[in-house]
Amino acid sequence: RPEVVGKVFAAGADDLVRKSASGSELVARVKNRLERVDVYRTMTEVDALTGVATRARASETLDHFLHLADRYHEPLCLALIDVDNLQEANSLHGHGLGDQILRRLGELLQESFRSEDVVGRWTEDQFFLGMYGLHIDDGVQRVAELLERFRAEEFDTRSGDPFRVSFSAGVAAHPQDGDDLEELHRRAEGALEKAIEMGRRRVLPAGWSTQVGRELESADVVIVEDDDTLAGLLTHTLQTQGFVVHRFSDGQKAAASLAGASPTVHTQVV
């Protein structure tokens, strides 16, 4: 009866099979319903382009891990990753290149991190990564290793010339940088903005500071090396991990600048 059918669906039923239906019809209806549920779940939980979790799904999982971190007094890191100059790549070479870049970064994120880590797409050109059980230094190191790998990737363009790209990232840690996802994201975003201001292509922790003095240029590391290739390699590796680097090609100039009568550079490591 129509009123019974209405009540059945109002109660939350997905389908209605009459007693006269054959067994094959019942099986077909159930399989069809399960397939539709699976498609819907995929659409809502997995980003179609990159293959990582959607923002909503990843946020939900990360909230769960934050509760576990609180309960068991475990650390947790949140990294916000922004692809450098993606809009410029799209303008010069078309959106197809941008899609290649985002798709490959999504693949690398899933290949490089553990199954218990949370990988999601935050906005068009941003990903976020939750790393359960890692302290801030370890989190920065792991994202910096991913950056090195990503920078080595080559992408095809319409002109046939290979194209390379990088990303910038900020990392915040629970509990010192925040107790909830909103606060951790805000701190990671601040570190990301600092990384972009400093020229991109680097990973910085929340609260990072160069501690620049009024008269002295401040650097975390000073490299004294006259070989441009070696110095460039060292500089790039250190800057990727968020260090401020100053390079001298001449030992006497380095000594005068660091320890002369009127030093101009202050550093922690030479």
Side-chain angles (χ1 to χ4, degrees):
R1 291 180 295 174
E3 63 270 19
V4 174
V5 174
K7 290 179 179 180
V8 167
F9 284 108
D14 292 313
D15 203 351
L16 178 65
V17 181
R18 301 185 185 279
K19 289 184 179 180
S20 59
S22 65
S24 59
E25 179 186 349
L26 175 61
V27 171
R29 284 175 177 266
V30 172
K31 288 179 65 177
N32 180 269
R33 171 57 54 182
L34 290 175
E35 288 172 0
R36 278 186 284 171
V37 169
D38 187 57
V39 169
Y40 177 74
R41 181 182 296 115
T42 300
M43 291 175 61
T44 57
E45 295 185 356
V46 179
D47 180 68
L49 175 62
T50 64
V52 304
T54 60
R55 176 172 174 171
R57 177 56 179 163
S59 297
E60 180 182 333
T61 305
L62 196 54
D63 272 331
H64 173 67
F65 280 146
L66 280 169
H67 289 307
L68 289 178
D70 273 333
R71 177 181 296 179
Y72 297 108
H73 306 289
E74 292 280 357
L76 182 147
C77 285
L78 172 68
L80 191 62
I81 297 171
D82 184 273
V83 179
D84 292 330
N85 304 314
L86 184 65
Q87 296 303 323
E88 181 180 340
N90 285 332
S91 298
L92 292 174
H93 303 286
H95 285 269
L97 177 62
D99 289 348
Q100 282 188 60
I101 292 169
L102 292 170
R103 189 180 300 112
R104 183 56 181 152
L105 181 53
E107 291 172 351
L108 289 175
L109 279 162
Q110 294 183 89
E111 292 171 10
S112 303
F113 291 89
R114 306 162 299 177
S115 58
E116 61 264 35
D117 293 324
V118 183
V119 180
R121 190 176 180 189
W122 189 258
T123 62
E124 179 184 358
D125 55 355
Q126 286 187 355
F127 294 79
F128 73 115
L129 171 65
M131 295 168 281
Y132 185 83
L134 290 188
H135 294 281
I136 188 74
D137 291 343
D138 295 324
V140 169
Q141 177 66 31
R142 291 190 62 194
V143 178
E145 290 171 358
L146 173 67
L147 174 55
E148 288 294 315
R149 187 176 175 188
F150 186 57
R151 283 178 57 114
E153 295 283 325
E154 289 189 348
F155 299 92
D156 297 327
T157 62
R158 291 178 298 189
S159 65
D161 297 323
F163 184 86
R164 290 189 176 186
V165 70
S166 61
F167 66 71
S168 305
V171 183
H174 168 85
Q176 62 264 34
D177 295 318
D179 291 324
D180 55 37
L181 180 56
E182 181 179 357
E183 181 63 16
L184 286 175
H185 177 267
R186 188 183 69 80
R187 295 298 304 277
E189 188 174 43
L192 170 61
E193 291 172 355
K194 187 65 177 179
I196 292 173
E197 288 174 10
M198 293 179 61
R200 300 182 180 271
R201 302 180 301 174
R202 66 195 68 221
V203 183
L204 295 181
W208 185 90
S209 173
T210 58
Q211 298 178 340
V212 178
R214 294 181 179 179
E215 299 179 357
L216 296 180
E217 177 185 347
S218 180
D220 297 308
V221 181
V222 164
I223 296 173
V224 185
E225 176 57 60
D226 59 0
D227 186 317
D228 291 338
T229 301
L230 177 57
L233 178 62
L234 290 170
T235 299
H236 160 68
T237 300
L238 291 166
Q239 286 180 337
T240 292
Q241 299 187 42
F243 293 106
V244 177
V245 180
H246 190 102
R247 182 237 174 157
F248 292 98
S249 58
D250 180 88
Q252 291 184 342
K253 290 182 179 179
S257 298
L258 292 166
S262 300
T264 57
V265 178
H266 170 74
T267 187
Q268 302 178 56
V269 177
V270 179

